[in-house]
Amino acid sequence: MNATMLSIPTDDGDLPGLLWLPENLDRPAPGLVVLQEIFGLSDYMQQRCADLAALGYAVLAPQLFARLDPPVVGLEDGADAEAWLAEGMELTQQVPWERAEADALSALNALRAHGAVDSERVGLVGFCYGGGLAFSTAAAATDEDRPPAVLVSYYGSALPALLDRSDQVTMPSLHHFGTADAFIPLPTVEQIRDAVTGAGSRPQVRFELHEGAGHAFDNPHAFLHHAGASDAAWRQTADFLGKRLPAPARGAHG
């Protein structure tokens, strides 16, 4: 499934992004900005974008590492998975958090401005690095009185350091975590749940724990993947979006 290129205006020049649109649009579609994991805008991330487009959403994925060389970490068969992880972590450290947040906000604005998109119904979806960045971006957008319509965060790796912003992130949201996440231990996950749900006072916030799953369990690489958790989380994501940001189910094309 192909995507089209979209230049995203930012205060530091245009940032490239990939855009997927539902087919046979007869009215503006709800939109989702997808924020990548530490490995860049990989084939896996692009497949998830296509999956969301197949549910009826206009999907924009900014290439957050476009100013780096390389902007995507590849993993060939037989390569050292630990080195792969280290290379991904190194990429994130080369992009100041404030820069990534500003670029994500610019992507939100670019998608809202697209003629095929319902500007009042645009949300954020993030994975790993992008899961924390989506949360941070939602808080920043709320400060600007343009909060996203929804937020979906898969194992947001920066969330432990962002909990002081929880009161700004009150839109309908869904958080996924694994109970065997070595990067974010379960006691920390419980602290995150308490903060983002307002200790249970925000019924619009859904928090899903996936038994036995580690960090980045949705990534298809065998080093990370947990098939049961990945399947369950995707069903929950589709259900959440269908209720909170409904769109006709369709195929998609670039």
Side-chain angles (χ1 to χ4, degrees), residues 123-224:
L124 286 165
V125 179
F127 296 80
C128 184
Y129 168 79
L133 183 61
F135 187 85
S136 176
T137 302
T142 300
D143 288 344
E144 296 180 358
D145 294 324
R146 294 216 69 188
V150 297
L151 165 68
V152 178
S153 174
Y154 276 70
Y155 31 78
S157 52
L159 272 168
L162 297 170
L163 298 185
D164 60 342
R165 305 186 76 176
S166 294
D167 288 345
Q168 300 155 281
V169 185
T170 58
M171 71 286 300
S173 59
L174 170 62
H175 294 268
H176 294 290
F177 284 94
T179 62
D181 191 327
F183 189 71
I184 309 175
L186 191 55
T188 302
V189 171
E190 297 289 358
Q191 292 174 1
I192 294 169
R193 174 161 60 182
D194 189 60
V196 301
T197 65
S201 66
R202 298 175 187 148
Q204 74 276 27
V205 179
R206 181 172 169 181
F207 201 95
E208 297 288 352
L209 281 176
H210 298 274
E211 189 65 34
H215 195 70
F217 62 74
D218 190 57
N219 187 300
H221 191 271
F223 185 71
L224 301 170

